Amino acid sequence: MKSLLLKRAAWCGALCLACQAPANVIFEAHSPYHLVQVIDEPGVRILSFNGTRETKMSLHNPLQGHFEYTEYFHTPWVWNQDIRRVLMLGLGGGSIQRAYQHYYTNVMVDTVEIDPVVIKVAKEYFKVQESPTLKIHNQDGRMFLNRTSEAYDVIILDAYTKSRYGSSIPPHLTTKEFFTLAASRLTTNGVLAYNVIGDMQDTRPEIVGALYRTMKEIFPQVYAFPAGTSLNVVLVATKSAMPFDYARVQREGVALVLRRKVTLPTFGERLRSFRNVPPRSVGVSPVLTDDRAPVETLMGGGGVAR
Amino acid sequence: MLKLVATSFVFLGGFAIMVLEIIGARYLAKDFGGSFYVWISQIGVILIALALGYATGGALADRFQRAQFLAGPLAVAGLFSMLIPNFTPGLVRAIVMRHPLDRDIPLLWQKLDPVLGSTLVFFLPCFLLAIISPYTIRLAARRIETVGTISGLVYAASTVGSIAGVFVSGYVLIDYPLSAVFRATGGLILALAGLSLVMDRWLQRLR
């Protein structure tokens, strides 16, 4: 009897969770890649792909309400204090594009997004505006890198998607060949920041470990910023061979804030997520190559031999 | 016995076609991008190859009526598949890089470039592999009264092979080096070429 009551209570809980936020779908379209929806909840606007949340934005202030992990894309300043050109692969709802436009008005941003519907939605519903400092290219990220002769100080990768069945990542943006290409388009002191979803503590072959290991083949230093409120990990790779430890990162952070180079209010807090130890799965995860990039298996809970 | 040999033969042919298609789509994505159009072109081009292969195979079967004839096309398909990792990078690079640098590729070419890639790399082996189904029907059909049964069996076996090819590619082979998968598939097709010679000798004795 008691268990029945508990079950009932659980059911009610689930139902209430579903009804608590009256969601209002204000845009919906099938693109070649996803079911793209824009959903308004009280105070926040959400971009959803196939039913999972890609971007959140406060309706009162477009610079608020975003996912925490996007703030780790400000960390490249620690390693390069003279950022002028940034390439972002993946637009989504444009959280990071809006932030760069707002906080770093002199930085030129190129954004590459494969899905034309996403570009349209970002412009119409998420306050992303093309300008002399923000160009949007409708293309595949790797193809764009292949064909550009531009050099960037920072390359930011956020091409991840999630669904109820787990996350997925374009395999051709995970390989040694891809990172070689990216490194060749970075300036001498260039920094690459890469969003991935995974578990730093997993000891089985895993995507964060595999990406870390693959990046380490090309870049002399790779660091990790695990997000506090989600499973996102932003891996930061530098072309500079100079190793940074926790204290050095905090020091540089303080200096950047004092000199008002970085005015993101949470910058100091984000830098405290800094880790310079590799993910635990790094020893057992494979180096990913164009020839062998079993990302599906690595994200499905491992089981791939080195 | 004849039925078993014929169905196994087309089963393996159907299997090889789908391995080439699925692994091929993944293989092309690194150059043409992770775009939807890579899949569209891969599926479309291979269906064209199959349609033409079926028509050609049927006509050839009526003319030559010997299993050993298949050894030629299958040997070509096998060698070609084995060499895919060797010639594809340069070929695809030429397709992608012909567009002026530093400018976005027009949407039309974003759609059609992968078709070009799929055609140059995967059309020939799939066309040649498609020949074997109608050809096998002709070889295995002894009497007009049973052509229905035989052709039904051949269709089914080849399709079941293709189904196996899809799932084995997606769940198993994808974890292996793609170049090794192409070489192994090429090896399998060469083995089919050998098998067609053995079948020929055996069928001649049956007559």
Side-chain angles (χ1 to χ4, degrees):
Chain A
M1 186 60 197
K2 200 177 165 195
S3 82
L4 191 71
L5 275 177
L6 276 176
K7 255 184 210 160
R8 281 235 180 103
W11 265 109
C12 284
L15 284 175
C16 293
L17 266 182
C19 59
Q20 150 199 67
N24 181 15
V25 177
I26 58 169
F27 173 89
E28 183 173 273
H30 283 275
S31 80
Y33 304 95
H34 320 277
L35 165 63
V36 180
Q37 287 172 314
V38 179
I39 301 161
D40 275 359
E41 286 176 6
V44 275
R45 177 161 289 173
I46 286 147
L47 175 68
S48 150
F49 292 169
N50 301 333
T52 51
R53 296 158 169 235
E54 295 292 318
T55 303
K56 273 197 314 176
M57 181 184 85
S58 159
L59 283 168
H60 312 298
N61 178 356
L63 291 166
Q64 297 287 321
H66 49 265
F67 286 116
E68 174 206 336
Y69 83 88
T70 60
E71 294 190 348
Y72 295 98
F73 292 136
H74 296 261
T75 60
W77 287 92
V78 168
W79 288 272
N80 186 339
Q81 320 219 327
D82 189 27
I83 297 174
R84 286 162 194 203
R85 294 198 71 103
V86 178
L87 175 65
M88 302 178 181
L89 305 185
L91 171 63
S95 298
I96 187 66
Q97 282 79 4
R98 272 194 311 278
Y100 263 70
Q101 289 285 88
H102 176 80
Y103 293 111
Y104 317 111
T105 42
N106 293 325
V107 173
M108 306 281 291
V109 176
D110 276 315
T111 291
V112 184
E113 166 60 52
I114 196 168
D115 190 335
V117 177
V118 171
I119 295 179
K120 183 175 161 249
V121 164
K123 287 180 180 168
E124 282 178 27
Y125 297 94
F126 289 90
K127 310 240 187 250
V128 173
Q129 262 165 0
E130 280 196 90
S131 71
T133 55
L134 175 62
K135 294 217 160 51
I136 299 175
H137 309 267
N138 180 204
Q139 232 184 65
D140 173 79
R142 182 159 168 179
M143 273 190 105
F144 180 87
L145 270 176
N146 236 326
R147 300 176 55 261
T148 185
S149 51
E150 212 64 71
Y152 295 94
D153 302 305
V154 176
I155 297 178
I156 289 172
L157 253 124
D158 191 8
Y160 228 85
T161 56
K162 276 176 293 179
S163 79
R164 285 292 300 282
Y165 292 98
S167 347
S168 70
I169 191 166
H172 64 299
L173 304 182
T174 64
T175 65
K176 204 174 147 179
E177 290 86 343
F178 169 74
F179 290 115
T180 308
L181 172 66
S184 75
R185 299 291 185 263
L186 279 171
T187 50
T188 328
N189 208 16
V191 182
L192 179 116
Y194 199 112
N195 169 42
V196 57
I197 295 174
D199 187 348
M200 293 282 287
Q201 302 307 325
D202 204 332
T203 49
R204 294 168 304 170
E206 212 261 351
I207 188 72
V208 184
L211 273 167
Y212 181 96
R213 199 164 163 222
T214 308
M215 287 159 88
K216 202 84 204 326
E217 296 264 309
I218 310 298
F219 292 92
Q221 301 295 343
V222 181
Y223 311 99
F225 289 92
T229 55
S230 64
L231 284 174
N232 295 76
V233 178
V234 173
L235 295 173
V236 170
T238 65
K239 279 186 90 174
S240 152
M242 168 95 73
F244 274 44
D245 60 8
Y246 186 84
R248 173 86 191 263
V249 170
Q250 310 307 316
R251 263 203 323 276
E252 300 286 352
V254 170
L256 283 163
V257 172
L258 286 178
R259 284 169 32 226
R260 301 198 58 78
K261 273 264 182 190
V262 178
T263 51
L264 177 76
T266 49
F267 189 60
E269 196 185 330
R270 295 295 163 253
L271 291 186
R272 286 197 276 284
S273 290
F274 174 84
R275 303 277 182 281
N276 57 351
V277 283
R280 288 179 71 187
S281 65
V282 74
V284 292
S285 302
V287 171
L288 303 169
T289 62
D290 277 355
D291 205 26
R292 182 167 180 267
V295 295
E296 287 83 359
T297 315
L298 284 169
M299 286 188 297
V304 180
R306 266 181 76 168
Chain B
M1 183 64 187
L2 180 62
K3 276 183 197 160
L4 181 71
V5 172
T7 49
S8 312
F9 192 65
V10 294
F11 174 91
L12 292 171
F15 180 84
I17 289 173
M18 287 321 279
V19 172
L20 289 175
E21 173 166 341
I22 305 279
I23 298 295
R26 177 74 160 241
Y27 187 64
L28 292 180
K30 71 176 195 291
D31 299 296
F32 291 116
S35 92
F36 183 64
Y37 305 120
V38 169
W39 277 102
I40 294 302
S41 63
Q42 187 73 351
I43 294 169
V45 163
I46 280 161
L47 285 174
I48 296 169
L50 295 185
L52 294 173
Y54 293 149
T56 311
L60 289 171
D62 284 343
R63 176 176 300 186
F64 296 104
Q65 300 176 26
R66 290 278 299 265
Q68 64 172 15
F69 169 83
L70 288 173
L74 286 174
V76 173
L79 285 174
F80 192 92
S81 303
M82 282 183 144
L83 292 176
I84 284 174
N86 300 71
F87 67 80
T88 307
L91 200 65
V92 170
R93 213 183 149 70
I95 298 176
V96 176
M97 290 302 174
R98 78 183 198 286
H99 299 288
L101 290 179
D102 286 321
R103 248 187 291 152
D104 292 352
I105 297 176
L107 190 61
L108 179 72
W109 286 115
Q110 290 190 27
K111 291 176 180 172
L112 291 183
D113 277 358
V115 175
L116 230 71
S118 293
T119 306
L120 290 172
V121 182
F122 295 102
F123 179 85
L124 183 70
C126 292
F127 168 77
L128 294 172
L129 280 165
I131 289 176
I132 66 181
S133 286
Y135 209 100
T136 305
I137 292 175
R138 170 85 204 209
L139 293 178
R142 308 267 90 175
R143 289 174 302 125
I144 189 77
E145 291 79 13
T146 57
V147 165
T149 310
I150 289 291
S151 55
L153 266 181
V154 165
Y155 271 115
S158 146
T159 304
V160 170
S162 288
I163 296 166
V166 170
F167 287 111
V168 169
S169 296
Y171 297 157
V172 182
L173 300 180
I174 202 72
D175 288 345
Y176 291 87
L178 304 185
S179 52
V181 174
F182 286 126
R183 299 210 204 286
T185 309
L188 170 71
I189 301 170
L190 284 182
L192 287 179
L195 186 63
S196 68
L197 295 178
V198 177
M199 260 172 32
D200 185 70
R201 226 174 288 156
W202 182 62
L203 283 169
Q204 289 309 107
R205 260 189 286 132
L206 275 189
R207 264 165 214 272

